[in-house]
Every structure is written in C-alpha cells, then in structure tokens.
C-alpha cells in the first residue's frame, strides 16, 4: 500500500492536522496553568475521599480516550475530519476535567501532597502532548514504535495514580525515602572509592592507554586527603541516619488532623529536600585534586542543613520526648565531624 502522510487526511481530502495541532496548543496552556494554578475549593468543604475517587475516574477516562486516538491513527484508513474532531474534543474534555479536579485540592491538605498530585497530572498531560506530536510527525503506514512508546507512556502515567500518596504524611514519607536513597548511593560511592585497593579513584574512568597522560594529573588521594575524608564520611553517615530517624518519627507520630500538623510535615519535607544536593556537592569536592577550602565550605553546608532538620523536627509534633535521645546524639555527631573537618583543613583557609 502506498505510504500516506497525515496531511493527505481522509478520503475526502480534508486536512486532519489542525484539530490535532489545536489540541496540542490547548494542552500546553493547561500545563502552564497547572504550574501556577491555585486551589478552587474551600478548605472547610473539602472531601478528600470524594476527591481521590473523582481523580481516579479522570485518569481512567484519559487512558481510554488516548487508546481510541492511538488506534484511530495506527493503520489505514485515516479517520474522517468529523471523527478526528470528536476524538480531540473528548481528550480535551477529559484533560480539562482532570485539571479541574486537581484544582479542588486545597493547600490546607498539604503543599507536599498537592505538589505530587500536580506532578502526576502534568506527567499525563505532557504524555498526551508527546503522543500527538508523534502522530503529527509520523507518516501513516503502520503503528510506529514511537507511537507505541508514547501511548504506553500515557498509560503508565495514568496507572501511577494508584501509587500517589493519599495524605500529606504519606507524601512526605515518600519524598524522604527518595532522598535517603540518593544519600545512600553517595555514601556507598565514597566508601568504595576510599577502600579500593587502587589508590586512584579515577581508575575505572580512564583506559589503560591513558595511564601516561594521567601522570601529570593529581588523581590520587594523599595521606592528608584521606584524613580529611574520614570526618566528611562521618557527615554523610549522619545525613543517612538523620533521614532514617526523621522518617521513622514521621511514620510513627505524624498526623494530618490539623492544619498545624500538616504544615509541620510540609516544613520537614522542604528541609529534608536540601540534604541530598548538599551531600552531592560535598562528595564531588572530595575527589582529587582535593581543595580543602571547598571541602570545608561544602561540609559546613551539610552540617547546617542537618542541624536545621533536627531543629525543625524537635519543634514539631513528630518529636515527643521519646525521640529526644537520637536528636541529641546526631547533633553531637554532626558537630564533632564538622570540628574535625575544620581542624584538618584550617591551614588552607
């Protein structure tokens, strides 16, 4: 069969591209609004259970409409202009419904929770945009791999609805878990590099043929560097322990029964988000050639973030008296390791 482009449209000769392009344009506007939009629902009238039920129905509807669209453009004959307009109208309607329901969710239910729902909503809308662009750019001959991939991407984004945390406590815990995984990876990376038999941490990056070219590179840790690394690793371990303990406190004592409690959980989510970037900066500065001024500065950033985490935790409802002992222990460990870093790098400042 002769290859036909979407520009040739249906047997009537009508161009199917305008309704598809109009939908892309409209959905891009939806994405922009989702980034900035505020809740439309009064907090005192909000029904969280009804919200989740309705939101789930919206995700299912989009998955269904996207399947219909993809099938319509998967093989000849092309749909008629009327059918194409109907398909795009149904997709637009289902996505506007999804955005509307998202706007129901008030900030009083938790900024962290709202951010996760917004991201899930945007993932679906952006996935549909990608699919439409694939359909617009690909000639109609058979179902392309790109179209299959894009369609599957929308299905997966819709299916992720079931995994969205359903209250702010669960939302904050899910984020803390992801932060802890990043810190764990960073700590393992440095411990493996430090304890490797080969003193060159770049040995797995360069080929053997590059050995001569690295003779002039400062790619080895000196004994002084190794001494500096010890308390820095101590700070990384404190970061790991901090996330583990705070997560445990949130899981055990976290509540979403009052606006104050929900806001305190948001504060914990916001401050713990700063741990992994500060840890990454410290890890990068530990690779040779080690600049002690930079190491001390990055270590101080980690210590400051961790102390702030402990401070916010201590003043929140997730920290009854039973949690105070580990707070004191971690605070002491942070200060001890930071003091050691300063002592070992002070000659460079």
């Amino acid at each position: 069969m002769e290859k036909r482009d979407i520009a040739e449209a249906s047997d009537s000769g009508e161009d199917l591209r305008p309704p598809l392009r109009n939908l892309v344009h409209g959905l891009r506007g939806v994405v922009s609004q989702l980034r900035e939009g505020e809740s439309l629902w009064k907090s005192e009238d909000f029904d969280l259970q009804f919200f989740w039920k309705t939101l789930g129905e919206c995700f299912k509807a989009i998955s269904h409409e996207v399947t219909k669209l993809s099938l319509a453009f998967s093989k000849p004959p092309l749909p008629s202009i009327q059918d194409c307009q109907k398909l795009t109208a149904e997709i637009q309607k289902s996505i506007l419904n999804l955005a509307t329901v998202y706007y129901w969710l008030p900030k009083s239910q938790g900024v962290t929770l709202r951010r996760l729902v917004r991201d899930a909503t945007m993932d679906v809308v952006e996935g549909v945009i990608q699919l439409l662009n694939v359909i617009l750019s690909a000639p109609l001959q058979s179902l392309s791999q790109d179209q299959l991939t894009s369609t599957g991407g929308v299905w997966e984004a819709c299916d992720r609805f079931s995994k969205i945390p359903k209250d702010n406590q669960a939302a904050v815990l899910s984020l803390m878990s992801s932060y802890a995984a990043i810190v764990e990876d960073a700590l393992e990376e440095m411990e493996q590099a430090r304890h490797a038999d080969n003193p060159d941490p770049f040995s797995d990056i360069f080929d053997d043929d590059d050995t001569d070219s690295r003779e002039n590179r400062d790619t080895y840790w000196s004994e002084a560097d190794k001494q500096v690394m010890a308390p820095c690793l101590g700070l990384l371990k404190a970061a790991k322990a901090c996330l583990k303990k705070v997560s445990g406190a949130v899981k055990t004592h976290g509540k979403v029964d009052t606006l104050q409690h929900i806001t305190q959980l948001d504060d914990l989510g916001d401050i713990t988000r700063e741990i992994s970037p500060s840890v990454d900066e410290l890890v990068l500065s530990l690779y040779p050639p080690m600049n002690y001024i930079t190491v001390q500065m990055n270590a101080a950033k980690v210590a400051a973030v961790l102390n702030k985490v402990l401070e916010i935790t201590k003043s929140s409802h997730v920290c009854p008296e039973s949690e105070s002992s580990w707070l004191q222990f971690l605070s002491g460990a942070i200060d001890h390791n930071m003091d050691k870093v300063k002592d070992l790098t002070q000659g460079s400042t």
Side-chain angles (χ1 to χ4, degrees):
M1 180 175 291
E2 182 182 353
K3 181 191 285 189
R4 299 172 62 201
D5 190 273
I6 193 173
E8 297 175 16
S10 61
D11 293 337
S12 64
E14 294 171 300
D15 190 351
L16 300 182
R17 291 177 298 178
L20 295 173
R21 286 174 174 168
N22 289 339
L23 181 56
V24 169
H25 179 74
L27 296 187
R28 284 175 178 158
V30 171
V31 170
S32 297
Q33 291 171 2
L34 286 170
R35 290 194 178 101
E36 306 296 335
E38 295 296 331
S39 175
L40 304 175
W41 201 284
K42 293 182 179 179
S43 301
E44 59 270 19
D45 299 328
F46 185 72
D47 184 336
L48 188 61
Q49 185 174 359
F50 178 72
F51 166 78
W52 287 118
K53 178 179 179 293
T54 310
L55 191 69
E57 292 170 353
C58 290
F59 278 109
K60 288 180 182 177
I62 292 172
S63 182
H64 177 69
E65 295 301 330
V66 162
T67 301
K68 286 166 58 177
L69 176 77
S70 190
L71 286 173
F73 287 92
S74 64
K75 60 182 179 180
L78 284 165
S80 67
I81 187 68
Q82 291 82 8
D83 287 341
C84 185
Q85 290 171 339
K86 183 178 180 181
L87 285 166
T88 55
E90 288 299 321
I91 288 180
Q92 183 175 42
K93 177 183 175 182
S94 62
I95 287 181
L96 289 176
N97 285 342
L98 174 64
T100 299
V101 175
Y102 157 70
Y103 286 132
W104 291 355
L105 185 62
K107 288 184 177 179
S108 60
Q109 289 294 319
V111 174
T112 306
L113 177 65
R114 198 165 187 271
R115 191 181 297 129
L116 289 179
V117 176
R118 180 201 63 194
D119 291 347
T121 302
M122 288 176 61
D123 284 347
V124 170
V125 181
E126 289 172 342
V128 175
I129 292 173
Q130 180 182 350
L131 173 61
L132 289 166
N133 284 329
V134 167
I135 292 173
L136 280 164
S137 62
L140 180 70
Q141 186 176 27
S142 61
L143 185 61
S144 69
Q145 185 59 48
D146 284 345
Q147 187 174 333
L148 277 171
T149 301
S150 298
T151 304
V154 177
W155 290 340
E156 289 176 8
C158 291
D159 289 344
R160 282 198 290 273
F161 163 76
S162 62
K163 298 181 176 65
I164 300 175
K166 297 304 186 286
D167 61 37
N168 210 44
Q169 179 192 23
V172 170
L173 281 172
S174 71
L175 291 181
M176 286 185 181
S177 177
S178 66
Y179 306 151
I182 295 172
V183 171
E184 176 77 24
D185 288 345
L187 178 59
E188 288 182 3
E189 174 188 330
M190 288 313 303
E191 287 186 325
Q192 288 174 3
R194 182 192 184 200
H195 295 299
D197 293 335
N198 191 329
D200 177 5
F202 295 109
S203 60
D204 60 343
I205 299 176
F206 296 100
D207 296 330
D208 292 338
D209 295 339
D210 295 326
T211 303
D212 292 339
S213 66
R214 289 193 292 125
E215 289 301 325
N216 295 325
R217 294 174 182 263
D218 188 1
T219 59
Y220 294 84
W221 280 305
S222 66
E223 288 304 316
D225 291 343
K226 293 177 182 178
Q227 289 183 352
V228 171
M229 280 187 68
C232 289
L233 286 173
L235 284 174
L236 298 184
K237 291 175 181 177
K240 175 183 175 182
C242 191
L243 280 165
K244 179 180 179 181
K245 287 294 187 179
V246 173
S247 295
V250 169
K251 184 174 183 179
T252 303
H253 306 291
K255 297 177 181 178
V256 291
D257 54 344
T258 67
L259 180 59
Q260 181 184 26
H261 289 160
I262 290 172
T263 301
Q264 287 176 349
L265 291 173
D266 280 329
D267 291 341
L268 285 169
D270 287 341
I271 188 59
T272 52
R273 186 188 303 123
E274 298 179 22
I275 294 178
S276 55
S278 65
V279 163
D280 285 342
E281 288 186 26
L282 177 57
V283 167
L284 287 173
S285 65
L286 292 178
Y287 280 98
M290 193 182 288
N291 182 306
Y292 290 167
I293 297 177
T294 303
V295 170
Q296 184 182 131
M297 178 181 68
N298 289 335
K301 288 180 182 177
V302 173
V305 170
L306 295 181
N307 281 322
K308 189 67 175 178
V309 170
L310 297 181
E311 177 186 335
I312 292 176
T313 302
K314 186 176 182 180
S315 62
S316 76
H317 71 283
V318 307
C319 188
E321 188 63 31
S322 60
E323 303 287 342
S324 61
S325 59
W326 65 260
L327 280 168
Q328 294 175 358
F329 174 80
L330 279 178
S331 178
I334 294 164
D335 292 343
H336 170 75
N337 283 295
M338 190 62 230
D339 287 342
K340 289 282 289 181
V341 172
K342 289 178 180 177
D343 289 343
L344 294 167
T345 59
Q346 63 184 358
S348 302
T349 58

